[in-house]
């Protein structure tokens, strides 16, 4: 079974803090993705990566950055957390075929 | 611009009856479609997919139908069970980049015992 793990299930941070969300997959997938999910808006793509050290902006990259130093690990960084970044963050990975497999999510609250 | 649309935010069905969830897309380059199921506070789990070379794919109680000319797909759940109560997301992909998925906004299904 594909396993995607995320470092935290719940996280509470203060405005202005730097936040790191970690994602690890164990299936040697080339592609990894970060989404945020908000009520009524579905899943919105923040960043994705199709290879080590490669990254591409998704639909809503502002306020975020990413790092992919190893194939199995994809990190999402909030440089200076703001209250409008309170959300559920979901990591996914995929290979061929195009099915993406998701981690359990991190519920981030920024106060 | 939402390329994948789920126009029904919610659906309620009696246990044992059929649930039909609908999805429309606008991009004719999409050639692979998926349905995901999501429980609260969990990540989405893959349910079923269909390639554009098919018009139907079945897996147990779940069947996905694809109508390419109408750019429409649907998920049928028969018979519906209380454990099927969740948010269902439709997603579509074309052969570009990292094969990104474009998601709909979800439909919350409630199966009433």
């Amino acid at each position: 079974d594909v396993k995607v793990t995320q470092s935290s299930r719940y996280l509470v941070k203060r405005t202005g803090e730097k936040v790191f969300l970690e994602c690890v997959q164990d299936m040697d997938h080339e592609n990894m993705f970060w989404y945020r999910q908000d009520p009524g808006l579905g899943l919105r793509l923040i960043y994705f990566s199709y290879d080590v050290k490669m990254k591409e902006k998704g639909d809503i990259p502002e306020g975020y950055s990413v790092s992919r130093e190893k194939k199995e690990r994809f990190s999402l960084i909030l440089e200076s957390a703001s209250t409008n970044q309170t959300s559920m963050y979901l990591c996914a990975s995929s290979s061929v075929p195009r099915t993406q497999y998701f981690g359990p999510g991190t519920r981030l609250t920024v106060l | 611009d939402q390329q994948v649309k789920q126009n029904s935010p919610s659906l309620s069905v009696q246990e044992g009856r059929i649930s039909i969830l609908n999805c429309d897309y606008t991009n004719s380059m999409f050639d692979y479609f998926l349905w995901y199921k999501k429980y609260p506070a969990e990540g989405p789990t893959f349910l079923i997919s269909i390639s554009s070379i098919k018009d139907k794919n079945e897996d147990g109680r779940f069947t996905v139908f694809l109508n390419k000319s109408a750019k429409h797909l649907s998920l049928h759940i028969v018979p519906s069970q209380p454990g099927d109560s969740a948010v269902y997301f439709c997603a579509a992909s074309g052969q570009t980049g990292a094969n990104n998925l474009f998601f709909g906004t979800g439909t919350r299904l409630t199966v009433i015992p």
Side-chain angles (χ1 to χ4, degrees):
Chain A
D1 274 356
V2 176
K3 190 155 187 190
V4 180
T5 57
Q6 294 183 231
S7 50
S8 306
R9 293 299 302 272
Y10 300 94
L11 210 52
V12 179
K13 295 292 182 181
R14 296 213 173 269
T15 301
E17 279 193 80
K18 192 168 185 175
V19 182
F20 293 87
L21 301 181
E22 301 282 335
C23 176
V24 178
Q25 51 96 2
D26 67 356
M27 285 303 292
D28 202 35
H29 284 171
E30 295 84 15
N31 307 316
M32 296 188 75
F33 307 82
W34 275 106
Y35 295 88
R36 62 179 282 177
Q37 186 209 353
D38 300 288
L41 297 178
L43 276 68
R44 293 183 292 166
L45 182 64
I46 304 171
Y47 267 96
F48 65 98
S49 168
Y50 51 88
D51 202 353
V52 176
K53 297 193 186 296
M54 305 303 291
K55 59 186 179 184
E56 296 283 347
K57 293 180 180 179
D59 300 319
I60 52 165
E62 296 78 18
Y64 304 93
S65 63
V66 291
S67 172
R68 192 162 180 206
E69 296 296 318
K70 293 184 178 181
K71 190 174 186 180
E72 68 271 18
R73 189 178 296 269
F74 193 33
S75 303
L76 179 70
I77 303 150
L78 286 67
E79 296 291 342
S80 177
S82 63
T83 55
N84 63 11
Q85 292 178 310
T86 290
S87 187
M88 167 72 96
Y89 289 88
L90 294 161
C91 175
S93 72
S94 75
S95 184
V96 178
R98 288 170 264 174
T99 303
Q100 289 185 17
Y101 296 91
F102 285 82
T106 296
R107 170 72 64 187
L108 173 67
T109 301
V110 183
L111 301 175
Chain B
D1 183 30
Q2 194 79 20
Q3 298 188 59
V4 178
K5 299 179 184 178
Q6 294 177 257
N7 293 317
S8 298
S10 63
L11 175 69
S12 291
V13 171
Q14 290 283 345
E15 181 179 3
R17 305 293 290 268
I18 184 171
S19 295
I20 300 176
L21 295 95
N22 293 303
C23 178
D24 297 294
Y25 62 96
T26 58
N27 190 337
S28 57
M29 299 304 292
F30 288 152
D31 64 349
Y32 190 67
F33 304 88
L34 309 90
W35 284 94
Y36 285 85
K37 174 180 179 180
K38 186 181 185 300
Y39 293 118
E42 294 184 14
T45 54
F46 168 68
L47 204 52
I48 192 168
S49 63
I50 188 166
S51 164
S52 60
I53 61 173
K54 294 185 173 182
D55 54 18
K56 177 182 174 181
N57 189 27
E58 195 170 349
D59 184 1
R61 296 185 298 114
F62 302 92
T63 303
V64 56
F65 294 92
L66 176 62
N67 182 333
K68 289 186 289 295
S69 61
K71 294 192 179 71
H72 177 84
L73 63 155
S74 61
L75 175 68
H76 293 210
I77 306 173
V78 183
S80 301
Q81 300 174 354
D84 296 329
S85 297
V87 177
Y88 289 77
F89 290 99
C90 166
S93 169
Q95 295 189 33
T96 57
N99 299 319
N100 295 4
L101 294 181
F102 295 84
F103 284 86
T105 52
T107 297
R108 181 178 300 280
L109 173 66
T110 302
V111 179
I112 303 162

